[in-house]
Amino acid sequence: MNMETLEEFKDYLVAYLRNIYQEDIILDSEKIVIDLNKLYEYGLMEFVEFLVDNPEKGIRFIKECYYEAYYTLKNEYPKNIIVSVKNLPKIFKTTRKGEIFTVEDIRSNSLGKLVEFEGIIVMASKIRPMLKYAYYICPKCGREYYKEIDILNFEGEKSVCECGSELNLIENKSTYTDFQEIKVQQPLDLMENPEEPPKYVTVFLENSSGVYAGRVKITGVPIKIRKSKKLPIYEIYVKAIHCEVLDGDVKIKLTNSDIENIKKLDKRQDIIDILADRLIPEIRGHSAIKKAVFLQQIKGVKKPGKRADIHILLITDPGIGKTVILRKIAEIPGNLYGSVTTATGVGLTAAVVREKTEIGEDTWVIKPGLLVKAHKGTACIDELTVNKDLQSYILEAMESQTIHISKGGINAKLPAECAILAACNPRWGRFNPEVSVAEQINIPAPLLSRFDLIFPIRDVSDKNRDRDIAEYIIDLHRAYLDDNINKKIGLNYLEVDGVKIDKEFIIKYIYYARQKKPVISERAKELFINYYVEMRKKHQITARQLESAIRIAEAHAKAKLKDVVDEEDAKEAINIITECLKEIAYDPETGIFDVDKILGVSKKERDKLIVVYEIIKELAEKSELVEYVDIAEEAKKKGIKENELENIIKKLVKYGDIDEPKPGRYRIL
């Protein structure tokens, strides 16, 4: 199609733009984004096809038509309008294999064509001004020139006039635009083989409002830039025409058959147990943890100012298989795995560093970390340990589910709306139920309190259970080579009510269940109120445990595909919270759940700390330095044993209430 033929479409296109974009014309919108799919459906198929093959000419023609449409309504032409396009018709977004066009399909055959693909931002530069329209003047003959600048073919600011003189660039009469460079990674859910290293591409954004993290849809033109002076070999980049930030939700295709099978199973009383067990078939037992992790994937119901994500921490003895659990959950599309031993702390949140980009010198860039990349999914964090510098970032990510960055001229709020499934080993090798959780792991108390569920997984010897686990592990090894054993233990799939339950089916079930938004019923509300009042009265739980129970109950109702959170869901959530508290907050001496015990100082211990502090304070009135012997004598009268006293004094020193200027002598600070 040549330009003469193109003119045939002008009247149709002008009429279309005048009608569909009338509001933009009236409001003098600075940026117009043309939906190509609607244009295609309007009947301009040939023009859209021309635009895909000749993006620059096609967009220039649309701009001319928009100016005409503007003129017919306002009787004048607009100034500095930016026209871009998005939403390619499906026929142009599929490869020859009939699959969605992705980053790995950007090759030599797509150079100069209009393409559209999704990606996750792994690096974003700060916004810099870019010369877009240069105003030149000839110092000899006075001729004026106004030229559009192509950044990729810009040879410098030297231009020559018709008279042969070198033109002068008048900067204050030139026009600039906001330029940004981003690097995007192909999403794992769009990769043929998620085990392969992800593919990347660098994208140049003009007229950028500033995008720093998340999943984006790029409409642009692949271009080549020669990097080698000796060889005719090029690098491929994408010059973006439009960049749309997506909500981050992974789209899973569900057929009518899939939905029928899902609805066939949701009536089963044990469906959650079955799916939770099949989610991680490599691990034997631990049904409560598997159920909690399965419900975490379904999430609660999102409301303004309230998070729907459930955070879970696993504190495991060595050899239990925590990494297997985390890696298995990371296989679900949208989820990511990372180990703190191989990633820096800012690798969890976001880093702002100086780095040389493809265009220009060193500049400040944002590198989103694991929690930002896992937006709308689950961040599976192994060997979780957090230093003080990182604590505030991760606290913000867990509670408000955002990360604020302000450095090097970049001021951005990155979305981090993800659930956290973290795991760590106890500090002394094995979990000790007698010692508080905070003392056994290197995670600060404020961060610990943000976890909805904390599960210690202990390696306790039991002859029958050990035999069962050993048999299962050996059968797992045999199953890969023997189909009969594979079917017997159901390694690859399990058949229930004629439905094949494998990894693919469970993922589809999770994504279907996520769409539900059940409302808490009056009866469930009463159960929650009674639970909270009773537990407050006897066990001193906080509102955080109630919030956690609500999220879990909502996830349970969604897993059963209900529209209402009923008694069954509320009871199940209360049971899960109670089981968790039994493991980490139960005090056998008093028979109560002491939530403070999780964070390091139980109520009973706090009372003893106060008693010893008061003893030292009283003795300090007679002498500035108080002897240990005198403290022990007074403490004995109050019923505090000597072995307890040593621990209490250490804690008072640690908390900064007292110090020990000389061995065995203490003073109040």
Side-chain angles (χ1 to χ4, degrees), residues 286 315-317 320 430-433 455-461 465 583:
H286 303 300
I315 307 168
T316 70
D317 289 348
I320 294 291
R430 301 212 169 240
F431 186 79
N432 181 357
F455 288 108
I457 311 180
R458 299 169 65 198
D459 185 15
V460 181
S461 180
R465 187 172 163 275
E583 292 286 339

Side-chain angles (χ1 to χ4, degrees), residues 550-562:
I550 290 167
R551 280 190 281 272
I552 294 163
E554 288 172 342
H556 192 274
K558 287 166 82 171
K560 289 288 191 85
L561 309 185
K562 297 176 187 174

Side-chain angles (χ1 to χ4, degrees), residues 212-224:
Y212 297 102
R215 190 167 174 137
V216 289
K217 183 163 76 172
I218 304 286
T219 309
V221 183
I223 53 171
K224 63 183 192 302

